[in-house]
Amino acid sequence: MSTSRDWLEEFKWFHSHPEVGFREYETTIRIRQILQEEGIEEIPFPLETGALAVIRGTKPGNSRLLRADIDALPVKEESGLPYASVNEGRMHACGHDIHIVNGLMVASDLNGRRDEVEGTVYVLFQPGEEVVDGARSVIRSGITEGIDEFYAIHVDPASEAGMLGLKSGGITASVDRFHFTVTGESAHAAMPHQGNNPIHVLTDLAKWLDSYSDSKVNAFTSHVVTVARISAGNAWNVIPASGELEGTVRTYDEAARAVIKSEIEGAMRAFEKLYGVNISLDWWDGPHVTMNDEALYEKAKRVADRLGFPTKVPDDIMIGDDFGDYVTPESGKKSLYIRIGSGVGETYHHPRFCADPTMLHTTSRFMSELLLKDA
């Protein structure tokens, strides 16, 4: 690893210059500048923002990739940090600035240890994670086809700085979004019998969704169905002609995910018939479940124990990450996603979110050792 570069200052720069998905232009310029200054080989990157570094080891081995997402959020920062965002209304409120610098530190370290590296290690600086299509854009480009193992970290504001959250199996949920439009018939509020009030349908549909039955899904399968927004009408004395409802489905089980979608589509048709309204459903299939490979989990445990770093099993939470799209059950590839404590504080996407950059010393050393060898 470079001994002359002040990585804390690099972190402060990235934190103070956040850019949202697929608009990470300054971020990309700075990443590429650091890679060039560190003498790290780059592979031509097919997207407008982002970068791909490669470290070619001198020993035989497989191909491994560390994903570092680089985008920020449209959030106005209220952290009070001296290096807070200078880009109004944009903030690194999910720790991707930590991910960027960790990726750069790991690339720098392994590049200086190429004679120890087995196989090939790639470090992907991925745009657009927060807007869902980042990983899929990278996958569509074809640059990840030859990768055997995929790794990622994510800061964890529920754990003390440097705590390694390791587990096998599902660690980030699938994320689907649903949007219903219910069309009835407008009328005067004093004469509701002359119309067909979509609000009745929206509220009953919301109740059904919030109390979704587990009759078709195993009760021990982690999943949530959440209604997050209802909108209808703009006057107190007018029954609106239409209204909207939207929310999300999250699960750690791809089979359950398909069943829930089918059940919701069936409910839509039943509500249409029952109320005599028209209902349309827009459904966005978001990221897949991230499934941690058992062998890679065991490898990570051994590395953590050897380095003397603390570990714990992270709490199950239904957040999603498009990292789950890189490895599907039929791909034959492996993945490992690690939550690393960033200091207990405000949660993800909060305007006062802060990540303790001292975690980078643990994170980068751990990930370098983890990626050094292919077994």
Side-chain angles (χ1 to χ4, degrees):
M1 188 178 297
S2 171
T3 56
S4 59
R5 186 173 297 278
D6 187 335
W7 292 109
L8 178 58
E9 287 303 310
E10 298 295 355
F11 165 76
K12 291 177 179 179
W13 188 93
F14 284 110
H15 183 87
S16 64
H17 293 79
E19 297 172 294
V20 295
F22 297 115
R23 298 179 185 174
E24 310 96 332
Y25 299 110
E26 281 191 308
T27 303
T28 296
I29 290 170
R30 184 62 186 144
I31 289 169
R32 296 196 64 201
Q33 182 181 9
I34 293 171
L35 291 173
Q36 290 165 10
E37 290 171 356
E38 294 290 316
I40 299 167
E41 180 184 351
E42 283 187 74
I43 291 176
F45 197 63
L47 305 181
E48 196 169 338
T49 55
L52 182 62
V54 60
I55 296 91
R56 305 183 193 276
T58 60
K59 298 180 179 181
N62 67 9
S63 58
R64 304 175 297 288
L65 181 144
L66 172 62
R67 190 287 306 263
D69 37 7
I70 68 173
D71 56 329
L73 288 152
V75 172
K76 179 177 174 60
E77 182 162 0
E78 299 174 4
S79 69
L81 292 168
Y83 51 89
S85 172
V86 298
N87 294 335
E88 182 68 23
R90 284 163 284 172
M91 177 189 176
H92 271 299
C94 205
H96 294 187
D97 44 359
I98 289 282
H99 304 172
I100 294 167
V101 178
N102 174 72
L104 290 166
M105 292 174 75
V106 170
S108 175
D109 183 38
L110 294 181
N111 192 57
R113 302 167 65 189
R114 289 191 298 273
D115 58 338
E116 300 177 62
V117 175
E118 295 180 356
T120 306
V121 176
Y122 298 87
V123 181
L124 167 64
F125 298 91
Q126 180 208 296
E129 190 278 328
E130 297 289 358
V131 293
V132 176
D133 200 44
R136 292 179 182 179
S137 296
V138 172
I139 293 165
R140 286 193 295 268
S141 77
I143 64 172
T144 61
E145 286 181 3
I147 306 297
D148 301 304
E149 298 172 359
F150 292 80
Y151 295 78
I153 68 159
H154 204 293
V155 300
D156 180 4
S159 298
E160 58 270 29
M163 174 64 72
L164 304 177
L166 303 176
K167 66 172 291 191
S168 61
I171 190 166
T172 72
S174 63
V175 179
D176 294 327
R177 174 186 169 195
F178 56 81
H179 181 280
F180 287 97
T181 301
V182 177
T183 304
E185 187 173 350
S186 182
H188 194 291
M191 295 171 280
H193 60 286
Q194 294 184 359
N196 191 354
N197 195 339
I199 295 175
H200 295 161
V201 188
L202 290 165
T203 54
D204 284 357
L205 181 57
K207 289 176 185 176
W208 183 88
L209 289 164
D210 272 338
S211 61
Y212 174 76
S213 170
D214 289 332
S215 61
K216 303 288 183 166
V217 175
N218 189 316
F220 294 99
T221 300
S222 297
H223 62 280
V224 293
V225 180
T226 302
V227 174
R229 186 180 75 87
I230 298 178
S231 176
N234 53 24
W236 66 275
N237 58 353
V238 179
I239 292 172
S242 65
E244 301 175 328
L245 176 155
E246 65 180 337
T248 185
V249 175
R250 312 268 175 131
T251 179
Y252 280 132
D253 186 287
E254 291 288 349
R257 179 186 193 184
V259 169
I260 294 169
K261 180 180 180 181
S262 177
E263 288 281 286
I264 290 176
E265 290 170 338
M268 177 192 74
R269 292 187 290 270
F271 274 88
E272 255 189 338
K273 186 175 181 180
L274 178 64
Y275 286 95
V277 295
N278 292 318
I279 305 178
S280 63
L281 171 61
D282 293 313
W283 190 281
W284 289 269
D285 293 310
H288 291 288
V289 179
T290 297
M291 296 295 294
N292 278 351
D293 179 76
E294 177 69 25
L296 295 188
Y297 159 73
E298 294 291 347
K299 174 186 174 185
K301 276 286 291 176
R302 290 194 301 272
V303 170
D305 291 344
R306 175 164 55 82
L307 294 174
F309 291 160
T311 66
K312 72 172 187 177
V313 177
D315 295 335
D316 287 336
I317 52 176
M318 286 293 179
I319 62 167
D321 192 308
D322 70 359
F323 180 73
D325 288 335
Y326 287 109
V327 176
T328 57
E330 62 275 9
S331 69
K333 300 175 184 291
K334 298 178 180 181
S335 64
L336 185 70
Y337 185 96
I338 302 160
R339 291 202 189 110
I340 304 185
S342 55
V344 177
E346 300 291 357
T347 192
Y348 307 109
H349 297 200
H350 193 283
R352 291 194 299 275
F353 173 91
C354 290
D356 181 351
T358 62
M359 68 177 288
L360 283 164
H361 301 295
T362 298
T363 305
S364 60
R365 186 177 175 206
F366 173 71
M367 292 307 300
S368 288
E369 293 300 318
L370 186 60
L371 289 164
L372 193 65
K373 302 179 185 299
D374 73 353

